[in-house]
Amino acid sequence: MSAGVPEKRFVIAIDGPAASGKSSTAQWVARRLAFHHVDSGALYRAATAVQLDAHTDPERWAEDEILAATGRIGFVPDNGAFVPLIDGVSADEVLRGVEVTRNVSRVARMPRVRAWVNAQVRRASESHSVVVDGRDIGTVVFPNADLKVFLIADPWERARRRLVQRLGRSPSDAEIAEETDLIVHRDAKDATQTVQASDAVLIDTTYLTQEDQVERIVALAKAVTHRADETSAG
Ligand code: CDP
């Protein structure tokens, strides 16, 4: 690469429904490729968390009020990932908590909140090659992403994985059933913004290990780079 020519930034978009393993897969893929991980869902969660601090009835939340509250949120690179900070502090546990999860879909339906999230995500990709996960990354946020992947898995298996992650043990069938119910309802609430791009590679992870799905995406990324090198060589 000649001096003064900026190196091309690479964008991998990973979309899919609730608890399909997008975030952890995106994190691993980013680490393998030395890219930055950008979790767009974490920004919707942060917007929900700052609004929850107002202790008002979620049914009456107004978009202007939420947008004003997002002023408390920063989005900064830290150790290979962009992380949302609230008042300058990491708030990971709150973001993954029940109250935020229960209310995030209503916030994510607001068009100006979506525009705010998309601006943060695009800004992150200006300075780094990125693996971005969400619902509409390959369709709305980065329609020209270098690689698009859409992850799906059986709802029961998604619920089981989420509980193992949260509880650190094998959940009972009754616990999985309850979580499955929550997940399919969140899928329904998020349906309009969860879109598979026509040029996305669909990966069903129901019977794959996390390692397998990461390897597949890394292999796909290498294939795309190879094709791009061949094209530029002539
Ligand atoms: O991983 P999980 O499915 O639990 O959710 P997430 O990626 O943390 O996203 C939380 C919520 O943000 C979702 O339920 C959607 O309502 C919303 N979201 C969205 O609308 N668009 C995105 N690109 C990412 C998340």
Side-chain angles (χ1 to χ4, degrees):
M1 177 140 321
S2 58
V5 178
E7 202 179 321
K8 186 193 172 307
R9 307 271 172 235
F10 203 91
V11 175
I12 300 180
I14 302 184
D15 289 307
S20 54
K22 302 174 303 282
S23 287
S24 46
T25 304
Q27 201 174 356
W28 280 35
V29 171
R31 240 180 250 155
R32 283 284 307 277
L33 299 171
F35 289 7
H36 273 63
H37 172 216
V38 181
D39 177 355
S40 64
L43 285 165
Y44 289 104
R45 287 175 179 274
T48 309
V50 288
Q51 181 59 28
L52 277 168
D53 284 348
H55 301 291
T56 49
D57 177 2
E59 298 284 334
R60 306 173 76 94
W61 283 356
E63 193 165 11
D64 281 334
E65 200 187 348
I66 296 174
L67 282 169
T70 61
R72 292 173 53 200
I73 302 169
F75 197 47
V76 296
D78 178 28
N79 199 19
F82 275 78
V83 289
L85 302 180
I86 299 180
D87 302 327
V89 180
S90 155
D92 217 40
E93 257 180 49
V94 177
L95 299 191
R96 294 272 140 213
V98 179
E99 272 307 291
V100 167
T101 303
R102 187 176 296 147
N103 290 292
V104 64
S105 298
R106 81 172 70 240
V107 172
R109 273 197 297 271
M110 299 177 172
R112 283 183 293 139
V113 173
R114 300 199 73 76
W116 171 78
V117 169
N118 295 350
Q120 308 290 318
V121 170
R122 290 189 184 116
R123 195 169 43 78
S125 79
E126 283 168 8
S127 48
H128 300 83
S129 284
V130 286
V131 184
V132 189
D133 75 280
R135 300 281 191 292
D136 58 348
I137 306 304
T139 48
V140 175
V141 188
F142 292 114
N144 297 318
D146 300 278
L147 172 64
K148 300 177 187 177
V149 174
F150 198 84
L151 290 185
I152 56 164
D154 180 82
W156 183 272
E157 178 58 14
R158 286 191 272 145
R160 192 193 65 76
R161 290 176 189 168
R162 178 107 326 163
L163 287 170
V164 169
Q165 186 184 41
R166 192 184 304 146
L167 308 173
R169 61 165 170 83
S170 282
S172 67
D173 279 2
E175 287 171 320
I176 302 174
E178 208 168 302
E179 187 69 20
T180 302
D181 182 54
L182 291 175
I183 282 181
V184 295
H185 278 95
R186 193 146 61 90
D187 282 351
K189 285 193 229 160
D190 289 335
T192 45
Q193 58 245 28
T194 310
V195 193
Q196 183 185 341
S198 53
D199 53 350
V201 178
L202 179 70
I203 302 182
D204 183 343
T205 74
T206 308
Y207 302 107
L208 292 181
T209 63
Q210 179 106 54
E211 286 84 348
D212 288 339
Q213 69 208 44
V214 168
E215 285 315 315
R216 283 194 188 185
I217 299 171
V218 169
L220 286 165
K222 288 186 176 158
V224 171
T225 320
H226 190 214
R227 173 167 49 75
D229 287 348
E230 276 184 348
T231 311
S232 65

